Amino acid sequence: MQLPKACEAVCCKFFRLLQPLCKPIVGNKVLVQHNGAQVFKRSINTTQVTWQRLQKESTENEIDDESEIVAKDLEPIDSSLDIEEDASLLEHYINKAKHDLGSFEDIEYMDVFDPNKKLYYKMVDLWLKEAGETRRGHREFIVTVMHAMSRFNVESDISAYTKLLDCFPQGEHTGLKRDHWFLAAFKDKIADHLLGDKLIRLIAENGAIPNEELHNKTTDLFGKFSPTTFAARSILFWYGRLVSFNKYPMSVSDFKQLSPIEVAFYGLRQINPGLDGNYQCFPVDKTKCTEILDAGKIDSIISVQTPEQQTLLAKHDPMVPIFIEGPNLCYFREKTVQYYVMRTDPRNKEPDTASKSHILATKDWWTDFYKTDWKTDKKIQKDSGKLYSSEWLFPTIHLDKNLSSKSEIERDICQIEKDTEAVEGPVYAIACTDYNSPAALQGWIKGLVQTNKKLALCSVVFREEKSFMLNAPTTDPTEIDIHDPNFLEDAGFQ
Amino acid sequence: MANPLVWVLHSAGRRFPSLTAARRISTGLRLMQNDEGDESGITVKKETPHKPPQRLAIHWPKFRQSWKHIQFDIKNRFSPMKKQQHLKRLTKEDHVVYYFRNPDDLRYWYLMTDEDIGGYSWSELRQSKNEMTALFRGYLSNRRPRDRLLSEDPLAERPRFSGFAFMETKPFITVLDKVEFMSFIGFNVIKLRIRGDGRKYMLEAHCDLGLGYNLMYTAPVHTNGGPLWQEVKIPYCKLIASKKSGLLSKQSPMDLHKMTNFRFLLNDGIEGPFQLEIDYIAFERDYNFPFEDNDYYDPWLPINSNSGG
């Protein structure tokens, strides 16, 4: 049926108005005009895309050995910024924020000195301006920003995470809030709640300190009965209690900015605990030491000695040699510290016979024999914990009373505690370097002689020991490798 | 003191109490031997009739072990209070539970790593050079197993994988494979003397409340590393109840009558070698800490219980 011409014109206009909704498909992606910027949005049918991509790759690279699969897995895949769509979104707003820095509205962030952090806050503010009240595309933006937080050095600032909560659509009628315990089960928009849950898990991973502001914002947004607020409550409760197990807590951003010498200092503080430790940095004589180190390694010697170790060294017998035990590894959070130990071998402790030969009687012998007190020569009474021994009318105070009598109390730890002292001698000092040759450690001894004068009289020997931590095999050494060509020979077959 | 036997347990050792030094058996390969010397190098064995394994009507070794436990139990119940071991603890100030002066003491522990899941980290437990302490060491790798490789689908989830390794005590089996509980009674504090490598290990105590309801009470132990020994004190009230390495919001105090296992777990996520040296594990009584309470409570209990978390 043919329509009259006037109706056709009206219908064409009607369809032209609808045209923006029917977008052209470019490849398998969908073009969207998002607030002035052309941004590629992810298509819904990605399985088609991935299948085509995999088919292409399989024809190009025919994998014969399994070793190639292994090499691919080792490449980092977790970075979502490799995808073009997300990278373009971020860079669009970063470039805008860079041009806009220094405007009058930056007074809000005057206390933020790091330019990268300022850029982050500026970027989010610009997106909020352009998105408007509806906050269109908030899920993609939040996900990209969460993955890119390390670029801005903003991981340990809680205000950065609360800023992202402003990117969710605010208001009473968004359908996001779950305020009633029964009606929460029938509510929608679980993706937003799970996104918020991911955000709070990021806070826990990066070690940022949670706020009451975090909890208040999540309850205003998501309601009391949502998984995000549950996560916020749990992190508020558990963060302080889990950090208290750690003696030296440190935030992630501070740890990143540490130089290798600072890492060595913190590592030595962990290895040799004590508030009165004497930390010193000694140079290495490069005429005698011919070893060359890489760029990020420590060239000097950082040593630690507590006053207790200093007194032990002063009592040391100069006839007995002192040993410096070889390099060993220790972890300080994610980084490693290589250290050397100065100690001696234990001596067999002999009893002091000189003092016993002059004494004819001791207190213990006197009390056992005469059953009287040593000084006052009065008879010893039972229940010596009494204050008023002669006056029985007053109440008696038994100070040493326990569940059982004294003779029956058993203590196990004191029998076992000191077994290792018979095998391992005392430690005098600990140092940290990246040199592996004993010639470099002469600088350490020269420096310690200034505070420990007895060291000059003693002989110091370098004892090289193979440590497990530096030479650990990555695979089980007892495991039988079937694909090894020498397998049959080792197993005994020809 | 030096024992010619060197007990070395590897992570391939499983939970069977009879096996002590076990190795992984290669299941994929069966070797053929050339008996007749063919030129082709392949021989085919004749098919033999299938003989089922011999099954005894009564498993006599198990019956012998359980009879010993029955005798011991009867003696213990009708003996005076001073000789009963679990009540004797009330008079003690300390009680050492595990110590490693003999190499035979390693048979009470078994190891496990993510090799069972298909991972690539390994571990071993042996006596150290001192011949007094136990060494738990190995290599932890975060390489993903074949089952858990990531997909290229951008919408698919990308969960993180980290390797793990732990050493756990074998359960005490008494009568016909019945698991006996350890007694934490009378004491307040777990005391350790360890020498680590600076990593964070988790001390865990397993609680079996029956009908498949199992809880692990965990606490982190940050080791110092270095040559000096470290004494760690963990009170019972600071152990956190968790299920499958997830802390629970509803904390309950430990049921001291139903504890089964001890465990040292490494779950850092840091790829590299690890080493932990243990001198002793003991119980102690400290009156500064409560005896029956837990330090953790749920301040949002009426809300959290309804949200289904």
Side-chain angles (χ1 to χ4, degrees):
Chain A
M1 169 174 113
Q2 276 188 352
L3 291 166
K5 280 190 182 178
C7 290
E8 276 183 18
V10 167
C11 291
C12 286
K13 268 192 187 174
F14 183 68
F15 280 115
R16 256 177 234 155
L17 287 168
L18 287 174
Q19 222 177 32
L21 292 173
C22 312
K23 302 296 174 189
I25 293 167
V26 177
N28 281 318
K29 297 174 190 171
V30 176
L31 239 186
V32 169
Q33 280 199 339
H34 178 76
N35 294 328
Q38 281 194 353
V39 172
F40 289 98
K41 200 177 171 187
R42 273 199 211 94
S43 60
I44 296 159
N45 296 327
T46 52
T47 50
Q48 230 179 9
V49 175
T50 52
W51 183 240
Q52 286 172 10
R53 215 189 297 167
L54 285 169
Q55 273 181 339
K56 278 183 198 171
E57 285 178 1
S58 64
T59 52
E60 287 168 5
N61 307 321
E62 284 180 358
I63 295 158
D64 293 326
D65 293 330
E66 290 177 356
S67 59
E68 290 188 20
I69 291 169
V70 164
K72 269 191 191 174
D73 297 335
L74 293 171
E75 286 169 5
I77 301 168
D78 281 344
S79 59
S80 70
L81 293 172
D82 290 339
I83 299 164
E84 293 168 2
E85 304 147 352
D86 298 327
S88 63
L89 210 181
L90 254 187
E91 279 174 18
H92 170 75
Y93 285 104
I94 286 169
N95 288 327
K96 259 200 175 177
K98 276 182 186 172
H99 292 305
D100 214 6
L101 277 172
S103 65
F104 185 70
E105 291 164 353
D106 282 342
I107 283 167
E108 286 181 19
Y109 308 113
M110 278 244 309
D111 53 341
V112 178
F113 295 110
D114 197 354
N116 289 319
K117 292 185 186 179
K118 250 189 188 173
L119 216 169
Y120 171 87
Y121 291 112
K122 193 76 205 171
M123 188 186 75
V124 177
D125 276 340
L126 276 173
W127 184 86
L128 284 169
K129 240 198 238 175
E130 292 184 2
E133 285 187 17
T134 52
R135 309 273 204 271
R136 197 158 177 216
H138 66 279
R139 286 178 201 168
E140 284 96 358
F141 182 70
I142 289 166
V143 164
T144 53
V145 169
M146 269 160 66
H147 283 103
M149 265 187 165
S150 58
R151 282 166 68 180
F152 299 100
N153 288 333
V154 147
E155 285 157 330
S156 54
D157 293 343
I158 191 68
S159 52
Y161 298 96
T162 50
K163 190 87 193 173
L164 278 181
L165 286 172
D166 291 337
C167 298
F168 284 97
Q170 317 273 332
E172 291 178 5
H173 305 289
T174 50
L176 203 61
K177 210 165 181 181
R178 302 183 173 194
D179 255 346
H180 195 258
W181 63 275
F182 184 74
L183 300 175
F186 304 101
K187 290 269 175 168
D188 229 352
K189 310 228 168 172
I190 190 68
D192 287 324
H193 290 268
L194 293 175
L195 225 192
D197 193 27
K198 268 191 193 176
L199 214 175
I200 287 164
R201 284 178 195 212
L202 235 193
I203 295 168
E205 277 174 26
N206 290 337
I209 301 165
N211 253 347
E212 281 184 5
E213 192 191 351
L214 212 184
H215 182 242
N216 291 334
K217 275 197 170 176
T218 49
T219 45
D220 292 340
L221 251 185
F222 298 108
K224 266 194 284 183
F225 300 98
S226 81
T228 39
T229 48
F230 180 74
R233 273 179 238 133
S234 62
I235 198 179
L236 267 174
F237 181 76
W238 285 113
Y239 182 80
R241 285 161 177 82
L242 292 174
V243 162
S244 66
F245 285 102
N246 197 356
K247 272 185 268 177
Y248 307 114
M250 195 188 273
S251 63
V252 168
S253 60
D254 287 347
F255 179 71
K256 267 194 200 172
Q257 292 162 12
L258 290 178
S259 63
I261 288 172
E262 283 175 331
V263 169
F265 166 75
Y266 286 116
L268 285 175
R269 186 180 68 161
Q270 193 180 283
I271 289 167
N272 201 357
L275 295 168
D276 299 335
N278 190 15
Y279 296 89
Q280 285 169 311
C281 188
F282 303 124
V284 168
D285 207 351
K286 295 199 177 172
T287 55
K288 293 182 184 175
C289 178
T290 56
E291 202 178 328
I292 298 163
L293 294 175
D294 295 337
K297 306 261 174 174
I298 298 163
D299 278 345
S300 53
I301 296 164
I302 301 154
S303 84
V304 115
Q305 201 184 34
T306 55
E308 293 156 355
Q309 288 165 354
Q310 218 170 358
T311 51
L312 280 172
L313 228 190
K315 290 180 192 170
H316 179 73
D317 189 7
M319 301 298 288
V320 178
I322 294 174
F323 296 104
I324 293 177
E325 287 179 356
N328 214 338
L329 255 187
C330 169
Y331 281 90
F332 173 65
R333 294 196 42 161
E334 288 158 3
K335 295 192 179 171
T336 55
V337 163
Q338 189 176 285
Y339 66 92
Y340 293 86
V341 179
M342 186 189 274
R343 76 194 313 175
T344 57
D345 282 339
R347 279 187 303 173
N348 291 327
K349 289 179 186 175
E350 292 170 0
D352 294 332
T353 55
S355 59
K356 269 194 180 176
S357 61
H358 292 295
I359 290 170
L360 294 168
T362 55
K363 279 183 193 175
D364 296 332
W365 176 84
W366 190 275
T367 51
D368 287 338
F369 192 74
Y370 291 111
K371 294 180 186 173
T372 55
D373 197 13
W374 173 257
K375 282 185 184 173
T376 55
D377 210 13
K378 281 184 186 172
K379 258 199 173 180
I380 288 164
Q381 293 169 359
K382 289 179 187 177
D383 298 332
S384 60
K386 288 184 185 176
L387 284 177
Y388 306 102
S389 58
S390 59
E391 305 196 29
W392 56 274
L393 291 169
F394 286 96
T396 56
I397 298 162
H398 298 283
L399 296 168
D400 295 329
K401 196 176 186 183
N402 271 337
L403 287 164
S404 63
S405 59
K406 267 190 187 178
S407 59
E408 289 185 15
I409 287 171
E410 291 182 26
R411 295 183 187 106
D412 288 351
I413 288 173
C414 55
Q415 299 170 24
I416 288 169
E417 250 179 344
K418 303 201 175 173
D419 285 353
T420 51
E421 284 183 16
V423 178
E424 294 171 2
V427 170
Y428 292 143
I430 302 172
C432 176
T433 51
D434 280 323
Y435 282 109
N436 287 323
S437 61
L441 296 167
Q442 289 173 7
W444 183 26
I445 296 160
K446 276 185 201 172
L448 278 179
V449 162
Q450 293 163 13
T451 48
N452 307 296
K453 287 171 186 174
K454 207 158 196 186
L455 240 188
L457 305 169
C458 305
S459 59
V460 182
V461 178
F462 184 72
R463 193 194 264 171
E464 204 172 331
E465 287 178 355
K466 279 192 179 177
S467 74
F468 173 78
M469 300 286 282
L470 285 168
N471 302 315
T474 53
T475 55
D476 197 350
T478 59
E479 216 180 88
I480 301 162
D481 194 8
I482 292 161
H483 300 291
D484 195 6
N486 298 327
F487 164 61
L488 291 171
E489 288 174 10
D490 291 338
F493 296 98
Q494 289 178 356
Chain B
M1 278 288 271
N3 209 329
L5 287 173
V6 175
W7 291 87
V8 179
L9 286 173
H10 285 273
S11 56
R14 301 282 182 252
R15 294 171 190 237
F16 310 111
S18 58
L19 291 171
T20 51
R23 252 192 195 182
R24 198 220 300 259
I25 298 160
S26 61
T27 54
L29 189 68
R30 286 182 183 275
L31 297 169
M32 307 268 223
Q33 293 188 15
N34 287 336
D35 289 328
E36 297 171 359
D38 285 351
E39 289 178 357
S40 60
I42 298 164
T43 55
V44 177
K45 281 187 180 172
K46 285 184 184 175
E47 280 187 15
T48 53
H50 174 67
K51 281 185 190 174
Q54 283 183 349
R55 281 174 196 177
L56 304 167
I58 294 166
H59 196 262
W60 290 110
K62 204 189 273 184
F63 189 74
R64 254 177 256 146
Q65 272 181 4
S66 53
W67 178 240
K68 280 183 195 171
H69 285 113
I70 288 164
Q71 281 178 343
F72 180 79
D73 197 12
I74 288 165
K75 274 186 198 173
N76 219 13
R77 272 173 210 265
F78 298 107
S79 64
M81 210 165 100
K82 280 187 186 177
K83 289 189 183 175
Q84 286 195 16
Q85 285 179 359
H86 65 280
L87 292 175
K88 199 182 178 185
R89 289 178 178 197
L90 297 171
T91 59
K92 276 179 150 183
E93 280 194 16
D94 309 315
H95 179 70
V96 173
V97 190
Y98 288 102
Y99 70 116
F100 303 95
R101 299 287 182 269
N102 293 320
D104 292 347
D105 291 332
L106 293 173
R107 67 173 191 268
Y108 295 116
W109 298 81
Y110 75 92
L111 302 173
M112 190 168 157
T113 58
D114 55 356
E115 271 179 319
D116 281 358
I117 295 166
Y120 297 94
S121 53
W122 69 276
S123 63
E124 72 174 358
L125 182 68
R126 58 163 60 205
Q127 243 199 354
S128 55
K129 284 182 192 172
N130 290 339
E131 297 178 0
M132 282 184 189
T133 56
L135 253 185
F136 174 51
R137 65 185 191 182
Y139 189 88
L140 198 81
S141 79
N142 290 333
R143 195 176 145 195
R144 284 171 169 273
R146 297 289 301 278
D147 293 342
R148 302 191 188 194
L149 297 174
L150 293 169
S151 68
E152 293 186 13
D153 192 357
L155 291 178
E157 284 183 3
R158 283 176 176 168
R160 297 185 189 189
F161 179 81
S162 63
F164 67 89
F166 66 78
M167 60 186 266
E168 193 170 359
T169 57
K170 286 177 184 166
F172 295 109
I173 292 165
T174 54
V175 176
L176 297 174
D177 289 345
K178 187 200 158 201
V179 171
E180 200 182 78
F181 298 114
M182 290 161 74
S183 52
F184 281 41
I185 295 157
F187 297 105
N188 209 11
V189 159
I190 298 171
K191 202 171 178 185
L192 305 172
R193 191 158 190 254
I194 52 174
R195 190 158 62 176
D197 53 357
R199 280 189 161 194
K200 185 178 97 170
Y201 293 87
M202 311 287 281
L203 178 78
E204 298 185 345
H206 183 246
C207 187
D208 189 4
L209 296 164
L211 299 172
Y213 190 49
N214 296 320
L215 289 175
M216 298 290 300
Y217 283 88
T218 69
V221 174
H222 291 269
T223 54
N224 283 342
L228 299 172
W229 284 98
Q230 185 186 0
E231 286 186 4
V232 181
K233 253 193 190 180
I234 299 167
Y236 291 174
C237 57
K238 293 279 180 188
L239 290 167
I240 307 164
S242 71
K243 239 185 169 183
K244 290 190 179 179
S245 70
L247 308 178
L248 297 174
S249 60
K250 273 190 208 173
Q251 293 284 314
S252 57
M254 272 186 0
D255 198 344
L256 301 176
H257 296 275
K258 299 199 174 171
M259 312 301 294
T260 53
N261 289 339
F262 265 124
R263 190 200 275 187
F264 282 101
L265 170 69
L266 181 63
N267 201 0
D268 272 355
I270 300 167
E271 186 153 350
F274 65 89
Q275 186 173 329
L276 180 70
E277 206 173 334
I278 305 167
D279 192 7
Y280 63 75
I281 301 167
F283 294 140
E284 206 183 21
R285 206 180 297 133
D286 195 349
Y287 294 99
N288 293 319
F289 298 107
F291 274 88
E292 284 180 359
D293 280 338
N294 208 348
D295 265 0
Y296 307 114
Y297 62 98
D298 192 4
W300 298 285
L301 186 63
I303 303 168
N304 282 347
S305 60
N306 284 326
S307 63

